[in-house]
Amino acid sequence: MNILIMGPAGAGKGTMSDLILKEYDIPHISTGDMLRENVRNETELGKEAKGYMDAGKLVPDDLINAMVEKRLQEPDCKKGYLLDGFPRTLVQAEAFEKITERIGKPVESVLALNVGWDVLVDRITGRRVCPKCKAIYHIKNKPSRVEGICDVCGSPLQQRRDDTVEQLKVRMDEYDKSTKPVIDFYREKGVVSDIDASVSAENTFAQVKKALGKVA
């Protein structure tokens, strides 16, 4: 099963990705993680990407595309893949279409997580993270047992610098401009499922399973 998951910041892509991973036993591939792994492991693609990153430049699409193509051909992707954070733009989507045709792994389902503005604001501004073990909490929806302290390792929790209303507006503008056209691109192919992600994780995942049941 070859899946893309898309949605704005705070839509719950990480939570849904974890549940999909457990349910369907396919790898969750975040392009950000993939890029960092290539740089850390000093692969040829990673070394090239690091050159751009060290110069404060964006890593070019063709380099990201090459990493994605290589990653999707690894053994753990035999049953399929769940891509998170790619493609982000229409140009990337068109290039990815050629990649999937070339390697015989076409996109079968695009999960578009939809959440209203007020819900996103509540989720983003209430999010707290542990800088040490990376556990994530929410002051209302998933509070730590002791306020401000991580349940896992006991470190003080922090609010990310970009978890503000102002930064959310910037990210939403970018999402509307760049990523929504990608969803429309796949909608024309008939593979998009709109998911109401403003409800609980349990109810959201029920919609996800129903959508994936059409291609399983």
Side-chain angles (χ1 to χ4, degrees):
M1 195 181 310
N2 306 324
I3 310 164
L4 305 182
I5 187 165
M6 297 186 174
K13 295 188 294 296
T15 300
M16 288 304 107
S17 295
D18 288 344
L19 293 171
I20 291 169
L21 174 64
K22 292 174 185 175
E23 183 81 14
Y24 298 98
D25 191 29
I26 57 176
H28 170 212
I29 302 169
S30 159
T31 48
D33 290 344
M34 181 188 64
L35 177 59
R36 285 186 288 272
E37 185 177 344
N38 272 271
V39 171
R40 185 171 60 251
N41 293 336
E42 297 185 338
T43 66
E44 288 303 314
L45 293 172
K47 290 176 184 176
E48 194 174 344
K50 189 174 186 298
Y52 287 97
M53 295 163 69
D54 288 348
K57 298 178 181 178
L58 289 174
V59 178
D61 280 350
D62 60 347
L63 213 56
I64 298 294
N65 294 343
M67 288 183 188
V68 170
E69 181 170 358
K70 188 173 184 296
R71 179 67 182 87
L72 295 188
Q73 295 180 83
E74 291 182 11
D76 63 339
C77 292
K78 187 174 181 181
K79 294 181 182 178
Y81 56 81
L82 172 64
L83 259 178
D84 175 3
F86 183 90
R88 286 184 186 274
T89 66
L90 194 53
V91 171
Q92 286 182 345
E94 290 168 345
F96 187 57
E97 189 75 2
K98 294 176 182 176
I99 290 171
T100 56
E101 286 176 5
R102 187 161 57 243
I103 66 176
K105 294 180 179 290
V107 174
E108 297 173 302
S109 180
V110 176
L111 304 171
L113 306 187
N114 301 310
V115 184
W117 172 254
D118 290 343
V119 175
L120 287 178
V121 169
D122 184 66
R123 287 182 182 177
I124 289 293
T125 58
R127 183 161 58 188
R128 299 293 184 270
V129 298
C130 176
K132 186 174 181 181
C133 72
K134 310 304 180 186
I136 299 176
Y137 302 87
H138 190 279
I139 57 175
K140 290 194 294 186
N141 303 332
K142 189 186 173 185
S144 55
R145 288 192 293 269
V146 177
E147 185 178 350
I149 301 297
C150 178
D151 294 344
V152 180
C153 67
S155 299
L157 299 178
Q158 297 178 352
Q159 183 175 18
R160 291 173 178 159
R161 285 183 295 177
D162 59 349
D163 279 353
T164 63
V165 174
E166 293 73 22
Q167 281 301 308
L168 179 59
K169 287 178 180 176
V170 172
R171 290 150 84 181
M172 281 301 297
D173 285 345
E174 182 61 27
Y175 179 79
D176 288 340
K177 183 176 71 175
S178 300
T179 306
K180 280 193 173 179
V182 175
I183 295 174
D184 291 339
F185 172 81
Y186 286 108
R187 197 180 297 281
E188 290 181 5
K189 298 179 180 298
V191 295
V192 173
S193 293
D194 287 296
I195 307 295
D196 177 9
S198 63
V199 295
S200 68
E202 182 181 6
N203 289 335
T204 301
F205 190 55
Q207 297 173 65
V208 166
K209 287 200 291 185
K210 183 177 180 181
L212 295 180
K214 299 172 185 177
V215 297

